[in-house]
Amino acid sequence: MIETGAEPESRAERKLRTRRAILDATLELCSDSSLTALSLRQVAKQVGIVPTAFYRHFDSIESLGLALVEESFDSLRDLFRDVRRNAEADKDIVDGSIDALVDHVHRRRNHFGFIARERVAGPRSVREAIQREIELCERELATDLARMAGTATWTAKDLHVLSSLFVTVLVATAEQILSTSHPEQERQIVATVRTQLRMLLIGVYQWQSEG
Amino acid sequence: MIETGAEPESRAERKLRTRRAILDATLELCSDSSLTALSLRQVAKQVGIVPTAFYRHFDSIESLGLALVEESFDSLRDLFRDVRRNAEADKDIVDGSIDALVDHVHRRRNHFGFIARERVAGPRSVREAIQREIELCERELATDLARMAGTATWTAKDLHVLSSLFVTVLVATAEQILSTSHPEQERQIVATVRTQLRMLLIGVYQWQSEG
DNA sequence: CCTTTCAGTGAACATCTGTACACCGACAAC
DNA sequence: GTTGTCGGTGTACAGATGTTCACTGAAAGG
């Protein structure tokens, strides 16, 4: 090698870099199929390490999956933060939220795809971890909704019911965006969910919680 | 054998029976994981035939998957038929639909689970087939909605937008029911979707399509 | 009766799988 | 400068994988 731009790495840094490479390779490899169909050797080959070296970082594909769940939900929390920011600015709540969703799905395509897939098709422990995280998101969103106009008289239960519906629509929309590569089709999807949320909001403004 | 209750089968009957056994074994085996993680040999072993005999019925796991998509959507169309029947009777449209959904998900647990999983995690051709079928369902439901009270002035587009939202909620609910085995939790899920649909319906009754 | 058809068999193959083990060599700690 | 730590290597093995091929034997058809 004539010149490597790389500065000298400490051992810890190097290990972290390999770990990152494993995580990235896994997201890449299971971007169509599933963790359960992924072999340790495929990952190792993609990373450029020998199969046994995998064990220096994770003790199974399953625990690798759990690490990816955490990482992916960091992406999702970023999305929530942006939705909240858009809402606090003067932006329309529907358009602002959808813009943030589309933007994040594109930027973290692999993370959102990972959640969508492993949520239903992953190893049991991974599915459960994702379910827990989604419930956290629903609770978080519910407290945001409590501050929204028109929900002053709502029960906590109704707030959570609404929050869960929003999350469902959000997840479904993300899945649809992920499954197309045509910008025209994507605009269609966005227009659809825009109308859906507006229909829903009309109901929300009229809703009266009953004991 | 002392006595087999089986009457003599024609060759065609016997072949059909093995085919059925393959389909059932596959639904069973991938009931947690995914088609993409399923091997031809596992299926053969479960059925009790030799691996190569599989090829007498399907030429790959993928085409097996396509057959299961058709079969599973027959179950889903049965559900639609019952929803419609409940609606035509005097039953409340929300409760009637949810009852039908819960009932069908329980009776055809494997079919609904198969759709839920392979929709996002299956082989490409299977995913596409499921997507097509779901769009058919949405169109079908849209024409039903057109006959519903309060949608007389709606555009075709808005009808489809609403239909797609219903299907999204339906799919999500089915997924949730499938992922729990506690009757108490299931009652919770049902109560939640019941409220969600009522919120949504309020919006629907107020909605005015704009050119 | 004889012949054809064909679902299912069984052996063989090259390839891929997870994991065990002994090993290396560069960094870290003393 | 010696020693220990620890990512990463290479070899090895038993088992699973998809697919091939020549086969069997009973039902179907003449």
Side-chain angles (χ1 to χ4, degrees):
Chain A
M1 287 193 226
I2 314 278
E3 168 72 330
T4 84
E7 34 252 64
E9 285 175 310
S10 77
R11 201 131 75 158
E13 286 170 336
R14 179 144 202 103
K15 176 165 189 182
L16 214 67
R17 212 161 61 98
T18 306
R19 185 189 151 96
R20 249 281 39 94
I22 293 179
L23 293 169
D24 289 340
T26 305
L27 284 173
E28 186 73 29
L29 283 172
C30 75
S31 72
D32 59 4
S33 90
S34 156
L35 260 192
T36 52
L38 191 63
S39 80
L40 179 157
R41 284 177 115 103
Q42 284 173 54
V43 176
K45 180 180 284 181
Q46 174 89 359
V47 173
I49 58 176
V50 97
T52 45
F54 176 92
Y55 292 110
R56 303 287 182 203
H57 302 272
F58 302 97
D59 53 71
S60 66
I61 291 282
E62 196 168 315
S63 68
L64 203 193
L66 292 175
L68 281 172
V69 171
E70 285 192 42
E71 181 170 290
S72 297
F73 272 92
D74 285 343
S75 293
L76 214 153
R77 271 184 282 274
D78 285 349
L79 166 58
F80 269 56
R81 190 173 38 72
D82 273 20
V83 166
R84 213 169 288 129
R85 183 186 298 161
N86 282 346
E88 280 164 6
D90 56 348
K91 259 192 143 178
D92 177 282
I93 186 157
V94 169
D95 291 333
S97 301
I98 297 179
D99 286 352
L101 175 63
V102 172
D103 185 47
H104 277 76
V105 168
H106 279 148
R107 282 225 296 272
R108 306 234 96 103
R109 173 168 268 271
N110 280 342
H111 281 158
F112 284 86
F114 179 81
I115 295 175
R117 258 174 292 108
E118 308 311 327
R119 181 175 75 90
V120 289
R124 177 178 301 277
S125 65
V126 172
R127 290 202 310 261
E128 288 170 351
I130 292 177
Q131 193 50 47
R132 271 196 302 276
E133 292 282 354
I134 287 186
E135 275 161 23
L136 282 180
C137 288
E138 288 178 357
R139 272 201 277 280
E140 197 179 323
L141 179 56
T143 74
D144 283 350
L145 291 175
R147 286 195 289 272
M148 205 177 76
T151 61
T153 64
W154 285 40
T155 61
K157 199 165 138 201
D158 279 356
L159 282 170
H160 187 268
V161 163
L162 178 60
S163 162
S164 135
L165 179 51
F166 274 135
V167 170
T168 296
V169 173
L170 180 149
V171 168
T173 305
E175 283 172 1
Q176 284 181 293
I177 292 175
L178 284 168
S179 73
T180 185
S181 49
H182 296 78
E184 180 45 45
Q185 218 169 346
E186 182 177 312
R187 237 172 295 133
Q188 196 64 252
I189 294 166
V190 167
T192 296
V193 69
R194 195 169 177 275
T195 306
Q196 289 172 341
L197 289 181
R198 292 204 184 287
M199 286 181 183
L200 180 54
L201 276 189
I202 293 181
V204 167
Y205 285 132
Q206 310 263 330
W207 186 259
Q208 305 282 351
S209 285
E210 38 184 61
Chain B
M1 287 192 234
I2 313 280
E3 169 72 326
T4 83
E7 34 253 65
E9 286 175 311
S10 79
R11 201 132 77 158
E13 286 171 336
R14 178 144 202 104
K15 177 164 189 183
L16 214 66
R17 212 162 59 97
T18 305
R19 186 189 150 95
R20 244 295 25 102
I22 292 178
L23 293 169
D24 290 340
T26 305
L27 284 173
E28 185 73 26
L29 283 171
C30 74
S31 70
D32 58 3
S33 90
S34 158
L35 261 192
T36 52
L38 190 63
S39 80
L40 180 157
R41 285 177 114 104
Q42 285 173 52
V43 176
K45 179 179 287 184
Q46 173 89 1
V47 174
I49 57 176
V50 97
T52 45
F54 177 92
Y55 293 110
R56 301 288 181 200
H57 303 271
F58 303 97
D59 54 70
S60 66
I61 291 281
E62 195 167 316
S63 68
L64 203 194
L66 292 175
L68 281 172
V69 170
E70 286 194 41
E71 182 171 289
S72 297
F73 271 92
D74 286 343
S75 294
L76 214 153
R77 270 184 283 274
D78 286 349
L79 166 58
F80 269 56
R81 190 174 37 73
D82 273 19
V83 166
R84 213 169 288 128
R85 183 187 298 163
N86 282 347
E88 280 165 6
D90 56 348
K91 259 191 141 176
D92 177 282
I93 186 155
V94 170
D95 290 333
S97 302
I98 296 178
D99 287 352
L101 174 64
V102 171
D103 185 48
H104 277 75
V105 168
H106 279 148
R107 283 226 295 272
R108 306 234 98 103
R109 173 167 269 272
N110 280 342
H111 282 158
F112 283 86
F114 178 81
I115 295 175
R117 262 183 328 260
E118 308 312 326
R119 183 175 73 91
V120 290
R124 176 178 303 277
S125 65
V126 171
R127 290 202 309 261
E128 288 170 351
I130 292 177
Q131 193 50 46
R132 270 196 302 276
E133 293 281 355
I134 286 185
E135 274 162 24
L136 282 180
C137 288
E138 288 178 357
R139 272 201 277 280
E140 197 180 324
L141 179 57
T143 73
D144 283 350
L145 290 175
R147 285 195 290 271
M148 206 178 75
T151 62
T153 64
W154 284 40
T155 61
K157 199 164 139 203
D158 279 356
L159 282 170
H160 187 269
V161 163
L162 178 60
S163 161
S164 135
L165 179 51
F166 274 135
V167 170
T168 297
V169 173
L170 181 148
V171 169
T173 306
E175 283 172 2
Q176 285 182 291
I177 292 175
L178 284 168
S179 73
T180 185
S181 50
H182 295 78
E184 181 44 45
Q185 218 169 347
E186 182 178 310
R187 237 171 294 134
Q188 195 65 251
I189 293 165
V190 168
T192 296
V193 70
R194 195 169 177 275
T195 306
Q196 288 173 341
L197 289 182
R198 293 203 184 286
M199 287 180 183
L200 180 54
L201 275 190
I202 293 181
V204 167
Y205 285 132
Q206 309 263 330
W207 185 259
Q208 305 281 351
S209 284
E210 36 185 61

